Amino acid sequence: MILHVITSFASHGGAQTMLARLLAQSREPALVVPLTEASPRNIALADNPNVAYVPLGARSALAMPGAAWQLAQLIRRRRPRVILCWMYHAMAIGALAVRLAGSRVPLYWTVRQALDDPAALSRSTRAAVRLSRSLSGQAAGIIYNSQRALEQHGAYGFAPARALMIPNGFALPPAQPQPGPARVFGIAARLHPQKDYGCFFAAAALALQRCPELRFAAAGEDVEAGNPQIRHLLAQSGLPPERIELCGELAEMDGFYRRIDALVLSSRTEGFPNVLAEAMSHCRPVVTTDTGDAAAVAGPAGLVVPPRDPAALAAAMAEMAGWSPDRYGAAAQGARARVAERYGLPAIAAAFDAVLNGEVLPCAV
C-alpha cells in the first residue's frame, strides 16, 4: 500500500490534480492523508475504489504538531510499503511523522514549485521550505516536476543526491477545432500574488489599446466580479470590466479552454504549470512568463516574456493576435502534439511507479 501525504486535497491546484491523475491510473491500494481536507471533486477525479482518504483537519500552524502525531499513528497501524509526500508542509510533516513512528519505510517527496520569486510565497510556505531543507536528507528521493525547481532547490540546500525530475502528465482530450486568429485570451489561476493577476489585467488593458477587438476571460478560485480585490485590480489596470469574463472557480475546465483562443500565464513563480499543458492539449497556443519550466513546456507553441512586465506580456498578446490563420493553426496543432509527445500520462505514471518501486535511483532522471 502506498501512503500519499498532501498539504490539501481540496483545491484545484496542480499538485492535487496530478495526484488524482496518478491515483486514477494506479492498481495498487493507496491511502491519501491530506493535512487539511479532501474535496469530493478531487476524489471523483481520482475515481478509484482502491483509494481511502483520511483528512487530518489541520488548518493552522498550531495544529501541525498534532497532525504529525496523527500521521505517525497511521504509519504504525497501516504499515505502508512507501510514503510519497506532496508539497512543502506535507514533506516536513511526513518526515517528522516517520521519525515519531520509528519507521524505516522509504520516504519520497515531490516538489511542485520553483523558487523564481520566493517573496510571492506565503510566510507559512516560506517557513515550510526552510524546514523541508533541513529535513531533506531523510528523503530516499525528491521528485521535482521541473528542471528549474530541481536546480534551484539544490542551490538552496536541498539534498542534491536525492534529486529526480519527472514532469506532470496529461491525458489528451478529444481534438478541438482551431478557430483562429486569436481574439479571446484567457487566464486560469487562483487569486494569489504568485499568479500576478495585476500584471495580467494591466497587460490586457495595454493589448486592448493595440487590438480593440480583443476580449479576455479569467477562471480560478476567488476570481469573481463580487470580489473587492478583483475590482481593485481591474480599476488599477484600466481594463474595462465589460471586456473580461470573470468565471470564478470551475468544476471542469474543458468548456473554458474551448471558449478561449489562447492561454496566458502571468505568474511570478511556478514549477511545472499544469494549465499551460492542459490548454495546449486542447490545441490552444500560449503566452507565458519565463517561470519554472514554462518556457520548456510551451516550446514553439508559445511566446515567452519576463515575469512582472505587463508591457512585454501585452506585446506578446498583440503579436499572437496578429498571426495569420495558418500560423495560428500550425501553433495550435503543434501545441497538442508537444503535450502528446512529452507529457503523456501513461509514461509519467510509469515513471512514478519505477521510482516508488526502487527501480530508479536518485539523480538518474
Side-chain angles (χ1 to χ4, degrees), residues 89-153:
H89 293 84
M91 287 154 45
I93 294 299
L96 294 172
V98 167
R99 288 186 180 181
L100 288 171
S103 174
R104 303 182 72 175
V105 60
L107 174 71
Y108 290 87
W109 288 356
T110 178
V111 175
R112 325 301 296 173
Q113 176 70 61
L115 297 174
D116 295 300
D117 187 355
L121 305 176
S122 69
R123 182 180 301 176
S124 173
T125 298
R126 293 197 298 271
V129 173
R130 292 191 295 270
L131 180 56
S132 297
R133 176 180 60 184
S134 67
L135 297 170
S136 61
Q138 187 175 333
I142 306 175
I143 304 168
Y144 298 89
N145 69 347
S146 73
Q147 186 63 32
R148 184 175 294 189
L150 185 154
E151 294 167 358
Q152 289 175 339
H153 283 77

Side-chain angles (χ1 to χ4, degrees), residues 217-234:
E221 184 180 358
D222 296 326
V223 184
E224 301 169 345
N227 187 328
Q229 188 176 354
I230 287 289
R231 293 200 301 269
H232 175 70
L233 290 173
L234 281 173

Side-chain angles (χ1 to χ4, degrees), residues 16-28:
Q16 291 82 1
T17 300
M18 190 62 222
L19 173 55
R21 288 172 180 159
L22 289 180
L23 293 172
Q25 295 275 311
S26 178
R27 296 183 179 180
E28 181 175 2

Side-chain angles (χ1 to χ4, degrees), residues 17-18 36 77 88-90 99 106 112 141 157 217 249 260 337 356:
T17 300
M18 190 62 222
T36 56
R77 290 199 306 270
Y88 299 117
H89 293 84
R99 288 186 180 181
R112 325 301 296 173
E249 189 170 27
I260 66 174
L356 298 182

Side-chain angles (χ1 to χ4, degrees), residues 6 11 16 18 98 101 117 180 184 191 222 277-278 285 307 317 326 344 353:
I6 187 166
S11 78
Q16 291 82 1
M18 190 62 222
V98 167
D117 187 355
V184 182
L191 183 60
D222 296 326
E278 288 174 358
M317 285 192 275
D326 286 346
D353 286 343

